[in-house]
Amino acid sequence: MCPPDYFGIEYEINPWMNVRVGSDAERSHRQWTALYQTLQQLGVAVDLIEPVPGLPDLVFTANAGLIYRNLFISSNFRFGVRQGEASRFEAWAQRRGLEVIHLPAGSYFEGAGDALFCGETLFAGYRFRSDVRSHQWVGERLGVEVLPMELVDPRFYHLDTCFCPLAPDWALYYPGAFDEYGRSVLRDRIPNLIEVAAEEAISFSCNAVVVGTTVILNQGAPKLAETLEQAGFAVRPLEFSEFIKSGGSAKCLTLRIDGEEAASWKREAPAESHPGT
Ligand code: ARG
């Protein structure tokens, strides 16, 4: 995570952002800290990267890149205003001992904001930020199956605003953000797929952080909370109103280092070496 010291609405690169509305520094700090403390209470060790003046969206660490085992595929941000973040995230990845990988120049890719593992498969959203060729390249580079899906509603411009894997065979999604092909791919491939209603999706309830079976999301999605609880998940609603003004919520403020709960590779034992055999 990255503390929101320099967070603000300084430009408009998605339909949520309005520089004339702006955000409240004190409130964003409080909301960010509540997420940070909730994660710590759940036993999560959180690595922090240093906030940088002039990079207000650095708080949205989900967009730093995609982590797979010891590899860090660094993002190629679509908009110039965010491109300065890449070197900061890469420096962090290097310090962590991850191998930093770059996409071919001229392709766009916004990391875990647009590419999420559910089981063995990487589900990937394209059009507004990442492009489809980047996802194909990532799939080949990692040797994993990628299912690119077009995002059709500019309010849901990153995949993590409308889709959230919960476990290898569980996910939630907002159907209106996908075309018929995307919806059918999700329905065919994910056995337990929870539909989020339009009025709850619009408050970023799909943008959830999953820790074990606990789901942290923006408050104000009672129907989804009930469905999740019936399915055996514990729901932790928090307030993210300041970050929603920038088009982000809980999940965008985090980047999972050790593999999302839903990613099969998280569960696989690391390759063992057998000296002498
Ligand atoms: N203001 C940021 C942007 O438009 C918000 C990023 C939200 N991140 C996410 N993973 N959905 O780029």
Side-chain angles (χ1 to χ4, degrees), residues 15-36:
W16 302 90
M17 301 177 89
N18 182 340
V19 290
R20 289 176 307 283
V21 173
S23 62
D24 181 89
E26 202 267 321
R27 231 178 292 147
S28 21
H29 247 280
R30 215 182 324 124
Q31 294 176 359
W32 183 91
T33 304
L35 174 63
Y36 178 67

Side-chain angles (χ1 to χ4, degrees), residues 20-87:
R20 289 176 307 283
V21 173
S23 62
D24 181 89
E26 202 267 321
R27 231 178 292 147
S28 21
H29 247 280
R30 215 182 324 124
Q31 294 176 359
W32 183 91
T33 304
L35 174 63
Y36 178 67
Q37 288 173 346
T38 301
L39 290 170
Q40 286 186 318
Q41 282 159 15
L42 291 168
V44 177
V46 184
D47 237 25
L48 293 180
I49 87 159
E50 211 180 306
V52 177
L55 295 177
D57 279 341
L58 198 66
V59 292
F60 298 114
T61 52
N63 298 124
L66 177 69
I67 295 177
Y68 178 70
R69 300 178 192 276
N70 69 327
L71 305 178
F72 177 81
I73 303 197
S74 188
S75 288
N76 271 353
F77 286 93
R78 167 85 54 176
F79 295 106
V81 284
R82 292 201 67 184
Q83 285 164 3
E85 297 176 33
S87 61

Side-chain angles (χ1 to χ4, degrees), residues 155-208:
R155 295 169 305 173
F156 300 92
Y157 59 96
H158 275 141
L159 184 65
D160 69 1
T161 64
C162 50
F163 173 67
C164 179
L166 302 163
D169 52 358
W170 278 90
L172 51 86
Y173 84 127
Y174 167 53
F178 300 91
D179 61 13
E180 192 40 50
Y181 167 78
R183 285 192 288 268
S184 68
V185 168
L186 292 168
R187 285 194 295 254
D188 287 351
R189 298 299 298 266
I190 301 173
N192 305 288
L193 191 60
I194 298 171
E195 260 192 44
V196 179
E199 73 273 17
E200 295 194 346
I202 203 70
S203 61
F204 276 80
S205 40
C206 298
N207 196 250

